[in-house]
Amino acid sequence: MASTLDRKVAEAAEAFVEELRARLVHVAEPERLDGARLGTQAADWAASALEAPGTSLLARRIGPVYTITDLARWLTAPGGDPLTGEAVRKRALKRRLVALRADDGHWAFPSWQFSRAAGRLVPLAEVIALWRRLPHDGFLTDADLAAWMHTRLGSLDDTPAGYANRHGADAPPLGAAVSRLGARVA
C-alpha cells in the first residue's frame, strides 16, 4: 500500500508531466528541441512547482526553498529522530543553516545547502561555512547574498554554493569571489 507521501509525489509528478506536455504543445518545431535547454526549463518549472507558499518571489531569486515544517520532517537530530520546528529555528538563529525571512515573515531555507541521503536532507557544512563568511553587514540583504550563492559565476564555472560543496569554503578561487563581493559592499 502506497504511503500518503508516495501518493502526493505521484500526483505532483503527473501534474508536472501534464504541464510540461501543455507547454511543449506550443513549441513550433518540437523535433528541434534542445534537450539541455529543455532540461533546464523543466527544472525551473519543477522548482517553481515546489516553492513554499508565500516565497515565490524569493524562490525565483535563490532557487527552491524549504520551510520549517519541511525541515522538521526531513532533517534528523544526532540520535536519528526528526527535528522539531523549534530545533530548526534554533539552528537558523545560530547560523547553522542558511535561513532568511520571506516577505511574509516565514523562514525560507535554500535547497542548495542540502543533499539528500536515505530519504533525509543532510546540511552541507562547507556551503554553510561559506554563508557565514559573506559580508552580512553591508547594504546587501540575506536574500541578495542567497541569490549570489545560487548564481553561476564564470570565475568558478559553478555557483558559489556548488563550488564550496565540492572544493571547500576556503578554496582560493572562492575566496577571491568572496573578496570581490566584499569590495562591492564596502
Side-chain angles (χ1 to χ4, degrees):
M1 177 176 246
S3 71
T4 301
L5 177 62
D6 292 336
R7 283 194 309 275
K8 292 292 185 187
V9 168
E11 289 169 12
E14 190 174 309
F16 175 72
V17 168
E18 288 306 313
E19 175 71 15
L20 181 59
R21 276 194 189 108
R23 288 176 187 232
L24 291 177
V25 165
H26 299 293
V27 175
E29 298 177 61
E31 66 278 354
R32 296 187 59 161
L33 285 172
D34 176 349
R37 201 170 84 217
L38 177 62
T40 299
Q41 185 65 54
D44 289 345
W45 293 334
S48 67
L50 293 173
E51 292 172 342
T55 61
S56 61
L57 291 175
L58 181 64
R60 276 187 222 124
R61 291 184 66 203
I62 68 173
V65 296
Y66 293 111
T67 64
I68 286 178
T69 304
D70 296 331
L71 295 186
R73 191 171 44 234
W74 294 328
L75 286 178
T76 55
D81 295 325
L83 292 178
T84 64
E86 185 58 32
V88 172
R89 277 186 208 83
K90 284 182 182 176
R91 288 183 182 198
L93 292 170
K94 291 180 179 179
R95 299 180 79 78
R96 292 177 52 209
L97 293 173
V98 177
L100 44 141
R101 295 284 188 143
D103 289 341
D104 63 4
H106 289 94
W107 286 98
F109 299 84
S111 65
W112 40 253
Q113 69 181 303
F114 302 104
S115 67
R116 291 186 179 272
R120 295 283 179 204
L121 292 176
V122 179
L124 301 171
E126 291 295 324
V127 174
I128 296 166
L130 173 61
W131 176 255
R132 288 189 196 130
R133 290 182 53 209
L134 297 182
H136 293 274
D137 298 346
F139 66 89
L140 295 176
T141 66
D142 281 351
D144 296 326
L145 294 172
W148 181 83
M149 292 276 289
H150 183 62
T151 300
R152 187 172 200 79
L153 302 180
S155 62
L156 302 175
D157 195 29
D158 200 349
T159 66
Y163 198 89
N165 184 45
R166 279 190 280 298
H167 304 286
D170 296 324
L174 194 51
V178 171
S179 292
R180 286 190 300 274
L181 178 66
R184 284 188 227 143
V185 174

